[in-house]
Structure formats: C-alpha cells, structure tokens
Amino acid sequence: SAYVLPGSPCAAGPGPLIRLIPGNKYQLTLANKGAIENNIHAHGLHVGGTGDADDVTRSVAPSNCISYTWDIAPDHPSGTYWYHAHIHGRTKEQVAQGAFGLLIVEEDSVQYAWLSKDVLLWQQNEKILQILGKPQTHTTRRELEETNRGNGVINDQFHFISGEWYRLRVSIVDPDGHPRELSFGQACTIQLVARDGVWRSEVPALPAVAYQLTGSSRADFAIRCNGTGSSVPVVFDGDNVATINVVAGVASSASPYNKGKTWAPVRPAYLASMLNDAVPASNTYSIKIDKHDINGLGWDKDTPHRVIAFDQVHEWSLFGSHHHPFHLHVYHMQVVSPGGCGNGTYEFGEFYDTVASMDMCRVRFRTADFGERVVFHCHILEHEDGGAMGWIDVQGEGMRKNLEDPRDFKCSHHTQHSV
C-alpha cells in the first residue's frame, strides 16, 4: 500500500509531493492497483468532508478508480499538510506500509506582497523532512531492526550554506501517534514559524532546540546553521533521521524577519481569533478519548455523536488527549486554555489540527464554509481502527456543498494513468 505517480514502479512511501495553489480546483484520481480497498485523506486541508472532497467513508475497490475534488479557496492558508490512507480498520497497516505523502499549499504572492523581499525569498528557500516513525510493536525481524526514517531513508543528508536562513518543513508520520521529541544540534538557530499548516500569530517564535510533535503533526521552522564543515544531527525519538552538513557559500539576504522585525500573518475569516467570542452552552462539548471509543461510542459511519450549528463558534474540552492525540477534520482548533496546553507545546491562541495534552485542553473552532460530516478521532492509528473515531453533523444555511458522485468506478484507459 503506497502511492506512486502513473508509470512509476511500486515503492515504499513517502508518495509524491503534491503542491496546491490557492484559488485553484484540483481533481485527483486514485487508481487502486492493490488487492484491498483504499482511499486518501487530505490531512489538515480546509475542504469539505462529504461528496467527492474529503469523505473518509469512501473507498475504492481493487482494480477500480475513485476521484477527489479539492477546491482550494483563494484565502486558504499556505502551509504544510499531508495525505494518507484512511480506511477504517486498516489505516495503521496501510500508512505503515507507505500510503502517505506531503501536501503543500503555496504562498499567494498577492496576499504576502506587503512583506519584504527578504521574507519572500526565505519563504521559498525550503527544505523538506517527512519522518516515518518506527514500529512500536514488533512482529517481524525487519521491524525489530527498524529505525525512524527521514524522507524514506535512514539519516537523510542535507547541505546548508553557513549563515543562510532556510524554511524547513517537517511532517511526522508515526502510526503510533504519541508525542515524541524532535531536536536539533547546537550549531543551528531554530525558530518555529508554523504548526499544522497555519502560521503562528507572530513569526518567528523565539529560538529553541527541541519540540514535542505527535504522529500527525507538521511544523515549519526558520533555521540557520553556522560553522562550515560541521554536521548537525536532527533527532526524532532518539534516532538520527537527518544530518545537516554546513558548507561554504555566499548566504543570500533571505530572512524570516520582516525588515528586522517579527510579523503577523494574513489569515482567512474562519481562522480569525475566537478568544473573545461568547460561546453559548449549546455550543460546548466534552470529549473523553479511550482506546476503543470516544465518549463511550465506537465508530458508526451512519450515526453522528451530535448535530451542531453551521457558521458558529464551538468550544470543546478535550480529556485524555496525551495518550490519545485528538485530530479534527475540516476545521483547525484554537487553543483557549489559559497558558496553553501540553506544558506549552500547544500555545494559547494558536491553531492546530491535532492536540495531545496531559491536562484537559479547551479548544475552539468555527464551523465555517463547509459542514455536514466532520470526522474526529484518536491519531494513534491502531486506536482509530479499533473504534476511537466519530463524527459530528454540521447543519445550517449557506454552507458550500460538494454534490459530485462519490462512488468509485471502473478505470478507463485515461484514468489508468492517473495517480
């Protein structure tokens, strides 16, 4: 189970890098060449959860095709996302075998035209690291010998010009899902700029050398390394997943600072701050996640946990998310617990699509643009497969709807050459 481009040989993940431009509509066709059903989930994208958009209850049978339409709004946040298989009961198996890849929504040049040319240069000066977590339960000799991998290899190699600012996009793909530490050597300045596809409220953050990330987290960093000839380890959960080799060269003017100062990003209306919004009691809900259920309910694709109102702010209290990282489809969540959650990992006022906190964490989200089926689940994939998954039915007037036929179909000669 791995995604490849048409005409490419079957290989272990990650799959092909997909880049999307705000304001464009895309159709992706998945041709199932395997022996079991499959599908694809656009993790973190703000697209609908019904029709042929991002409904994870859809699947494609062996030898058939299925199409997805991703309508990327002109103001969709630019950022780092990912895609992966999401067949209930087989998600862990398929993701661990390579059914995943990276999605990037590009910066809109008009939206960020007010930034200095040095920031715009830095935004494009990117490096990519997608980390596949090693198996935590071992069933074969190969798994016993396995290690965390960066970009599909053991200890991937990067070359950074000394003194040059880069944008490092990091995506964690760990079926085990638990928060683990990503750390960098001392020779580099590392500053967080975005989480889960959304720019921080202030870019960049103060420097740090270690970060806690779940098995589905993404983090973008501004990174600058000094010391020609030095080698800087990038370590995830104790394993070197990459090495940064610092080389001689002429550093450009690229910088994460806008004319020497931090800057605030442009955000769409659905990501406007909700910190001061009044939330009625009817829009509040508590989530208790266990290994096989959420709020005592297992997965039932035909019955939602509840029906909630479209185009309103909702506040949820998350319990047990440290051992069961909580992921919400369609909408990003703003952390509203005073002081943040997870010992500062989830910052007060910032946005995430997955939260893992030892303490109870209060989050808010706005049911904007899309509604109907919105899935949530534990992102330990074994738990998700075992029933720790549910959905809410978002209802109201004015939402965008995707009415295309969601069924799979026999592949034509043309679609045989699609992704």
Side-chain angles (χ1 to χ4, degrees):
S1 294
Y3 302 118
V4 296
L5 290 172
S8 301
C10 185
L17 170 62
I18 298 175
R19 293 183 182 271
L20 307 174
I21 298 173
N24 287 359
K25 180 184 286 189
Y26 297 86
Q27 184 179 75
L28 181 147
T29 300
L30 179 65
N32 188 354
K33 305 295 186 179
I36 58 176
E37 64 178 347
N38 208 328
N39 66 1
I40 197 166
H41 164 52
H43 185 118
L45 282 191
H46 184 55
V47 295
T50 58
D52 69 346
D54 193 40
D55 184 351
V56 297
T57 67
R58 303 169 69 216
S59 64
V60 54
S63 301
N64 276 9
C65 286
I66 195 168
S67 290
Y68 294 85
T69 300
W70 296 338
D71 192 356
I72 309 302
D75 61 353
H76 191 290
S78 59
T80 306
Y81 305 88
W82 66 299
Y83 61 90
H84 62 88
H86 209 305
I87 295 290
H88 182 63
R90 309 198 79 147
T91 303
K92 177 184 177 181
E93 169 193 350
Q94 294 183 328
V95 172
Q97 291 176 353
F100 66 89
L102 199 68
L103 272 171
I104 291 176
V105 178
E106 304 281 20
E107 267 73 36
D108 179 82
S109 58
V110 175
Q111 188 178 33
Y112 288 96
W114 58 274
L115 288 169
S116 70
K117 64 178 181 60
D118 295 340
V119 175
L120 300 178
L121 179 61
W122 165 77
Q123 286 181 338
Q124 302 303 316
N125 200 19
E126 71 174 17
K127 300 287 186 179
I128 293 172
L129 178 60
Q130 190 163 45
I131 298 169
L132 175 61
K134 62 187 174 186
Q136 300 299 313
T137 55
H138 306 299
T139 58
T140 68
R141 180 172 180 80
R142 185 194 68 79
E143 289 177 334
L144 284 168
E145 297 170 347
E146 189 59 282
T147 184
N148 296 298
R149 292 173 177 261
N151 293 331
V153 300
I154 296 174
N155 194 16
D156 197 17
Q157 301 294 304
F158 291 94
H159 294 86
F160 284 18
I161 294 173
S162 181
E164 176 85 0
W165 279 108
Y166 293 90
R167 177 183 184 175
L168 177 63
R169 300 179 185 265
V170 176
S171 165
I172 309 297
V173 181
D174 184 0
D176 183 63
H178 285 103
R180 304 192 191 282
E181 184 177 271
L182 176 73
S183 62
F184 300 83
Q186 297 291 333
C188 300
T189 299
I190 314 290
Q191 296 174 254
L192 183 69
V193 298
R195 279 292 307 270
D196 292 352
V198 179
W199 291 105
R200 293 184 77 254
S201 299
E202 184 180 17
V203 180
L206 294 173
V209 295
Y211 300 85
Q212 291 288 319
L213 300 174
T214 74
S216 63
S217 295
R218 284 89 60 223
D220 287 22
F221 300 98
I223 177 170
R224 179 173 63 181
C225 303
N226 292 298
T228 300
S230 61
S231 295
V232 182
V234 181
V235 179
F236 179 70
D237 192 30
D239 290 331
N240 271 39
V241 292
T243 297
I244 298 171
N245 300 289
V246 185
V247 300
V250 178
S252 73
S253 64
S255 172
Y257 290 95
N258 188 41
K259 299 178 181 178
K261 298 180 179 180
T262 59
W263 52 278
V266 177
R267 285 179 173 163
Y270 85 93
L271 288 181
S273 178
M274 296 164 276
L275 294 175
N276 296 320
D277 285 53
V279 181
S282 58
N283 285 8
T284 63
Y285 192 48
S286 292
I287 292 283
K288 175 66 170 65
I289 314 166
D290 287 308
K291 187 174 182 180
H292 299 297
D293 62 74
I294 297 178
N295 289 356
L297 301 174
W299 171 245
D300 182 345
K301 70 180 182 66
D302 298 317
T303 306
H305 275 230
R306 65 193 321 224
V307 178
I308 69 173
F310 173 68
D311 201 26
Q312 293 188 20
V313 174
H314 297 262
E315 180 176 300
W316 286 10
S317 298
L318 308 180
F319 295 86
S321 65
H322 180 79
H323 299 293
H324 304 281
F326 178 82
H327 172 52
L328 180 67
H329 291 201
V330 183
Y331 314 120
H332 275 78
M333 301 171 283
Q334 186 178 30
V335 171
V336 298
S337 289
C341 301
N343 293 321
T345 296
Y346 300 92
E347 298 178 86
F348 176 73
E350 300 298 341
F351 287 85
Y352 306 87
D353 63 42
T354 306
V355 172
S357 175
M358 188 67 75
D359 48 333
M360 184 276 287
C361 189
R362 287 193 298 118
V363 298
R364 291 180 178 179
F365 58 91
R366 182 177 282 105
T367 50
D369 302 325
F370 308 99
E372 301 177 301
R373 185 190 300 275
V374 176
V375 170
F376 54 87
H377 58 85
C378 172
H379 222 287
I380 295 175
L381 300 186
E382 182 178 358
H383 297 177
E384 173 197 321
D385 286 336
M389 184 162 84
W391 62 286
I392 47 175
D393 187 8
V394 181
Q395 292 295 327
E397 298 297 323
M399 69 179 69
R400 301 180 202 167
K401 293 192 177 184
N402 193 317
L403 303 177
E404 297 298 325
D405 189 341
R407 294 172 295 181
D408 63 344
F409 53 90
K410 291 295 181 183
C411 300
S412 67
H413 174 73
H414 173 72
T415 54
Q416 288 283 352
H417 295 280
S418 299
V419 175

